[in-house]
Amino acid sequence: MSVLADTLEDVHLTRLALTDFRSYAAVDVPLEPGVTIFGGANGEGKTNLVEAVGYAATLTSHRAAQDAPLIRAGAEQAIIRAAISTGSNDALVEIELNAGRANRVRLNRAPLTRPREVLGVLRTVLFAPEDLALVKGDPGERRRFLDDLLVAMAPRYAAVRADYERVLKQRTALLKSAGPKGGLGRAKGVQQSREAVTATLDVWDAHLARTGAELLVAREHLVHALRPHVERAYLAVAGDGRGPAEIAYRRSFEAPDETAAGSERPDGDPDVIHRARADESHGDRVRAAERSLRAALLEVRSSELDRGVCLAGPHRDELELSIRALPARGYASHGESWSLALALRLASFDLLRSGREDPVLILDDVFAELDAGRRDRLATLVATAEQVLVTAAVPADVPEILTGRHFTVSAGALTDAP
Ligand SMILES: Nc1ncnc2c1ncn2[C@@H]1O[C@H](COP(=O)(O)OP(=O)(O)OP(=O)(O)O)[C@@H](O)[C@H]1O
Ligand SMILES: [Mg+2]
């Protein structure tokens, strides 16, 4: 996967064209390597532009869970076109967002069988005000952060993730069909006997454990790799002596076989886990996790049937964040939470660029939230990236070190700013 440093290609966007995307009927923006700043008053469409770039890279929006709000009100279809220069060969990504039917993606004019085949063509790291939820929000936000990064690192995990979500959904539907204890309160006809459900559950347990193990071991590996980058980035943003900020992956289930054998679980400390498993191959780890998850599913089965929810698996795991040994959620100040969210993104950028071409960096409105010291430190860290797209309602908030082309966004049109 890694490429020798001297063969690295510079990857950057050369053009972004939108049709009926968000507030834009039509816009066509030429882009260059280095820094591009989009200024303009609130609500003029700055974030809409960079949201489209993020969508071209990840097939998701950083602020809308569904695609419907991305299509211009009254239109049936939105189109995002992103032209990417990769040094040797250029790529054109075209995404059609359709109201009420499947989206379509073309790469270099050729339709893709599955949209997710486009993942990896353009890689981005997007910083946005919504990132505060990484620290203050539900565990689901942090799991999504890990899975998105996993896919950006290795696009094949998009399929692993999709498989797991499908299996989880079907297994949950099966649990619900068993109905609560005594079979009360569920619509007749839908309900199956517990015996019938139990027989089918064995099969779904196996599927869930297999796909779940692959996902969670990959996440554990990722967190291990990310950890030193987060620590370093946090100090770089917040200032020396303000840390340490630490991250750890915590599974939602114990490994019954390990506890039964009397061997203590290494308390979730990733270093301990990784030392203990240093001699294990990736395949060994996945198989061990699969056995643990399967055993855990058997243990919780009766409560699962009572409650109609799936109680063990990576969909209930947590990425724990702490600052000076206190959980960030609930303890960290607003500014500290912000710095930690930035550190998570900066660490992602470090990890994605190591041995590979730089991802495109997107900074949506982040400087307004930071004090002058943090602003300058962040700007210094990102200034070396191949391409940086910045939005700011108040251009003076953008530190001077980030100089480059400056557009003013107003009423759906872009003009060169002085
Ligand atoms: N599907 C849509 N159809 C039409 N207009 C939309 C759609 N979605 C969003 N908008 C409009 O786009 C505008 C928001 O654009 P955007 O979020 O890019 O603003 P911004 O320039 O980033 O503002 P701020 O400085 O406040 O962050 C709003 O006026 C909103 O009404
Ligand atoms: Mg905005």
Side-chain angles (χ1 to χ4, degrees), residues 254-265 292 295 299:
E254 299 280 328
D257 49 346
E258 278 172 23
T259 25
S263 75
E264 201 134 293
R265 193 176 134 74
S292 302
E299 283 209 341

Side-chain angles (χ1 to χ4, degrees), residues 10-217:
D10 296 335
V11 173
H12 60 265
L13 283 161
T14 54
R15 199 184 140 201
L16 175 73
L18 305 176
T19 308
D20 289 332
F21 182 88
R22 291 279 196 186
S23 54
Y24 291 98
V27 71
D28 196 336
V29 193
L31 293 162
E32 287 156 23
V35 178
T36 305
I37 298 171
F38 300 101
N42 294 140
E44 295 291 344
K46 305 179 296 295
T47 300
N48 293 346
L49 289 174
V50 293
E51 181 181 38
V53 175
Y55 198 99
T58 62
L59 299 177
T60 54
S61 155
H62 70 283
R63 55 177 181 174
Q66 305 295 325
D67 288 342
L70 307 182
I71 301 172
R72 196 163 73 97
E76 287 292 305
Q77 177 186 68
I79 298 172
I80 302 171
R81 285 194 184 83
I84 300 144
S85 160
T86 64
S88 50
N89 41 3
D90 294 348
L92 177 65
V93 171
E94 294 172 287
I95 302 172
E96 216 182 83
L97 298 162
N98 293 310
R101 62 194 170 87
N103 296 340
R104 287 197 296 199
V105 179
R106 295 199 299 168
L107 179 58
N108 299 325
R109 312 248 174 234
L112 300 179
T113 323
R114 291 203 180 101
R116 67 174 183 244
E117 289 163 26
V118 81
L119 297 171
V121 174
L122 174 66
R123 304 190 310 158
T124 54
V125 174
L126 195 155
F127 296 68
E130 287 79 3
D131 289 345
L132 198 54
L134 289 177
V135 180
K136 298 202 175 202
D138 294 336
E141 302 276 350
R142 289 177 287 282
R143 289 190 294 264
R144 192 157 78 97
F145 163 77
L146 287 180
D147 291 346
D148 288 347
L149 182 56
L150 204 54
V151 172
M153 297 284 294
R156 76 171 196 89
Y157 280 102
V160 174
R161 181 187 194 175
D163 283 350
Y164 183 73
E165 276 161 14
R166 183 179 46 81
V167 171
L168 177 65
K169 211 167 142 192
Q170 290 177 335
R171 189 175 180 277
T172 305
L174 183 66
L175 288 170
K176 285 199 199 307
S177 76
K181 242 183 200 147
L184 297 169
R186 296 288 161 119
K188 284 197 187 94
V190 184
Q191 193 164 323
Q192 302 186 42
S193 78
R194 283 210 168 194
E195 292 67 36
V197 168
T198 304
T200 325
L201 259 183
D202 286 336
V203 179
W204 286 106
D205 282 12
H207 287 323
L208 191 90
R210 187 175 39 74
T211 52
E214 207 176 336
L215 184 62
L216 84 86
V217 169

Side-chain angles (χ1 to χ4, degrees), residues 183-401:
L184 297 169
R186 296 288 161 119
K188 284 197 187 94
V190 184
Q191 193 164 323
Q192 302 186 42
S193 78
R194 283 210 168 194
E195 292 67 36
V197 168
T198 304
T200 325
L201 259 183
D202 286 336
V203 179
W204 286 106
D205 282 12
H207 287 323
L208 191 90
R210 187 175 39 74
T211 52
E214 207 176 336
L215 184 62
L216 84 86
V217 169
R219 284 188 193 162
E220 285 174 344
H221 186 77
L222 178 66
V223 170
H224 181 70
L226 198 60
R227 208 158 97 114
H229 294 284
V230 173
E231 282 184 40
R232 212 170 32 241
Y234 184 80
L235 293 181
V237 173
D240 282 335
R242 297 298 189 128
E246 291 173 298
I247 63 172
Y249 191 79
R250 186 166 297 276
R251 293 186 185 182
S252 53
F253 58 94
E254 299 280 328
D257 49 346
E258 278 172 23
T259 25
S263 75
E264 201 134 293
R265 193 176 134 74
D267 209 27
D269 177 349
D271 270 349
V272 178
I273 292 174
H274 277 265
R275 244 180 284 128
R277 297 178 188 161
D279 49 348
E280 273 180 302
S281 73
H282 179 78
D284 289 341
R285 278 184 217 172
V286 174
R287 278 185 292 278
E290 183 179 343
R291 280 194 300 276
S292 302
L293 181 48
R294 235 179 133 177
L297 286 170
L298 273 181
E299 283 209 341
V300 294
R301 183 175 279 185
S302 67
S303 359
E304 287 190 322
L305 284 164
D306 291 343
R307 293 168 57 184
V309 283
C310 187
L311 290 174
H315 64 290
R316 293 175 74 95
D317 292 356
E318 169 68 296
L319 172 67
E320 292 177 338
L321 309 176
S322 64
I323 298 172
R324 293 186 303 278
L326 291 172
R329 193 185 182 197
Y331 284 84
S333 77
H334 184 76
E336 285 175 331
S337 302
W338 241 111
S339 299
L340 185 50
L342 288 175
L344 289 170
R345 294 293 179 202
L346 283 168
S348 309
F349 178 64
D350 280 350
L351 206 57
L352 282 166
R353 83 194 299 201
S354 50
R356 297 273 314 262
E357 71 281 2
D358 280 5
V360 174
L361 264 185
I362 300 171
L363 304 178
D364 181 25
D365 231 356
V366 294
F367 293 108
E369 297 271 351
L370 300 171
D371 62 35
R374 282 179 165 84
R375 258 183 217 175
D376 289 341
R377 285 193 291 269
L378 176 65
T380 311
L381 289 168
V382 302
T384 59
E386 162 79 6
Q387 189 171 42
V388 190
L389 308 178
V390 182
T391 76
V394 182
D397 287 346
V398 181
E400 276 180 11
I401 181 174

